[in-house]
Amino acid sequence: MHGIAIIDAVPHQPRSARSLSRASNEKDIPVTAEFEADSWAASLTPRLVQFAAVARHEHVTRAAQWLGVPQSTLSRAMVRLEEDLGVALFARRGRIVALTPAGRTFLRAVERALAEVERAAESVRADADPASGKIAFGFLHTLGPETVPGLIRAFRVDHPRVRFQLVQNYGEAMIERMRTGDLDLCLTSPIPDAPDLVARRLDEQRLRLVVPDDHWLAGRKRVRLAEAAAELFVTLEPGYGLRRITDALCAEAGFKPKIAFEGEEAETLRGLVAAGFGVALLPPPAVPRPGVAELTVTAPRAVREIGVAWLDGHPDTAPVAAFKRFLLSRRGQLLPR
C-alpha cells in the first residue's frame, strides 16, 4: 500500500494574529488591509484544485500522482492551506485521510467555485471559436432598419454560425460600453477622436431638412439651411451624435436652432414633423413616411460620416477580427443607395 502523508490538525488562530504563509525567501512587508485581502484570495486560489484532489482521492499520494506533483509538495501545500484558514480540513483515521466537517463545508464551496471557473472557460473558448464565436456589436438607431441587417446577412454568407450580440444605442453610450468590455466594436457618427480608440471612416450619409407636407417649404426640392432659421426644430437629445451635427450645421448657417422637442429616436422625430411640431435634420428613412417633405440641403453641406470604432490595443478574437475586416472592406458601400 502506498504511504499516506500525515496532515496534522492546525489549531485555530484569529486572522488578526497571523499572516498568510509565505515562501521561505519572501520578506515580511507591511501591507494595507485592501492589499492583504487581495493577497488572501491570491494565496488560496492556486491550492483549491489541490485541495479538491486530496479530498476526492482521500489519499495524498494518489492525489499527487493525479496532479503530477511530488507528494511532499502537495502535503506542504495542504498544511499551508490549513494554516491560512486557521482550521483543520483533514483528519487521519488509521491510514486514511478524511475530511473534517469544516473540510466538507469547504469542499462544497470549492467545487462550486471550480465548476463556475470551468463554465467561464468554456464560455470564453466558445466565444472565441473562429467558426461559431460571438461578436458584441453596437450601432446607431438610424442604422438599424436596413444597414445593420444587410451587413450581418452579407457577413454570414461566409460565416454562417457566428453569433452576434447586438446593442442599439447612441454613440457616446456605445463607446463607454466598449471601454468596459461589453462591446467589441461599433458603428457610430460622428467618428470619435479619442486616444484610446481606433476609428475608421466607412461612408457618409446626406442629411435632409424634413418639413410637414403643408409647410411653406414643402414644394421645394432644395433649400439652404439658413432659410429655416426661424423654424422650430425637433432634435435628438444632447449627447447624441446627430444632435451635435445638427447644432454645428445650424451654427455654420448662422443661427442657433429653437428647440421644440428633444427625443431619442429619429423616426419619432419624423412623425412629430408630420404632426406639425417643427422641422428636423435627419438621415433618409428606411421607407418613405407620409405627411412630410424631405429637402436636399445645399448649404452648408449637410452630411454625417459613419465610421467603425474599437479600443486601441484590444486583442480581437477570430470572429471579431473577421467582422472588422469585412466592415473595412465596405468603405464607400456601407449604406444603401
Side-chain angles (χ1 to χ4, degrees):
M1 185 173 180
H2 292 291
I4 301 177
I6 306 301
I7 303 178
D8 296 325
V10 180
H12 175 71
Q13 292 177 282
R15 179 120 189 268
S16 60
R18 58 190 170 86
S19 62
L20 296 176
S21 57
R22 294 182 173 88
S24 58
N25 62 343
E26 290 180 343
K27 297 180 180 179
D28 289 334
I29 302 174
V31 294
T32 64
E34 180 179 359
F35 181 80
E36 184 179 3
D38 291 342
S39 299
W40 173 247
S43 174
L44 288 180
T45 300
R47 300 180 221 161
L48 298 185
V49 173
Q50 296 172 329
F51 165 75
V54 174
R56 290 164 185 162
H57 286 87
E58 296 185 332
H59 198 293
V60 175
T61 300
R62 287 196 292 269
Q65 291 171 343
W66 183 78
L67 291 168
V69 299
Q71 176 182 318
S72 59
T73 299
L74 185 57
S75 296
R76 286 194 299 270
M78 294 302 96
V79 169
R80 287 197 300 270
L81 178 61
E82 290 183 308
E83 289 174 348
D84 286 346
L85 291 174
V87 296
L89 300 174
F90 299 99
R92 182 173 180 258
R93 297 176 182 174
R95 297 176 65 83
I96 302 297
V97 175
L99 288 171
T100 64
R104 288 193 296 273
T105 298
F106 190 55
L107 178 62
R108 288 193 292 270
V110 167
E111 287 180 331
R112 288 195 299 270
L114 293 177
E116 185 62 30
V117 169
E118 181 60 26
R119 283 192 293 271
E122 287 296 328
S123 176
V124 296
R125 281 196 292 264
D127 288 348
D129 184 90
S132 61
K134 184 184 73 174
I135 301 167
F137 179 44
F139 56 94
L140 300 170
H141 290 89
T142 50
L143 301 178
E146 283 190 286
T147 301
V148 169
L151 288 172
I152 292 175
R153 184 166 54 249
F155 180 72
R156 279 185 163 165
V157 170
D158 295 322
H159 305 83
R161 294 169 53 210
V162 166
R163 296 169 289 126
F164 280 86
Q165 177 186 329
L166 299 176
V167 173
Q168 191 175 26
N169 213 322
Y170 64 99
E172 289 183 1
M174 290 190 295
I175 288 169
E176 286 308 307
R177 294 191 67 167
M178 282 199 302
R179 287 174 172 144
T180 59
D182 291 335
L183 288 177
D184 296 310
L185 68 170
C186 69
L187 289 181
T188 188
S189 178
I191 299 174
D193 180 15
D196 61 336
L197 300 178
V198 178
R200 297 288 183 266
R201 181 186 182 278
L202 296 179
D203 215 335
E204 71 175 25
Q205 187 175 48
R206 283 197 169 273
L207 301 179
R208 300 171 176 177
L209 183 68
V210 184
V211 302
D213 61 4
D214 59 355
H215 191 272
W216 65 276
L217 287 171
R220 303 264 296 274
K221 292 186 180 296
R222 295 175 177 80
V223 65
R224 290 178 295 105
L225 189 56
E227 295 179 75
E231 303 293 328
L232 293 175
F233 277 72
V234 293
T235 72
L236 296 179
E237 294 177 350
Y240 283 71
L242 187 56
R243 171 61 181 272
R244 294 200 301 274
I245 293 170
T246 296
D247 289 346
L249 288 172
C250 290
E252 190 175 348
F255 69 96
K256 181 177 180 179
K258 296 186 285 291
I259 306 301
F261 175 80
E262 296 173 329
E264 298 179 350
E265 203 274 321
E267 287 310 300
T268 298
L269 301 185
R270 196 172 257 105
L272 292 175
V273 171
F277 270 70
V279 302
L281 274 173
L282 296 173
V287 294
R289 186 183 187 103
V292 299
E294 309 215 1
L295 315 179
T296 299
V297 178
T298 58
R301 187 170 183 267
V303 298
R304 66 169 181 171
E305 292 185 323
I306 308 292
V308 59
W310 60 88
L311 282 181
D312 190 15
H314 186 74
D316 292 332
T317 62
V320 170
F323 189 58
K324 187 182 293 183
R325 289 192 299 270
F326 168 79
L327 289 176
L328 294 175
S329 75
R330 309 280 292 199
R331 287 189 180 100
Q333 302 173 353
L334 183 77
L335 303 172
R337 302 301 178 188

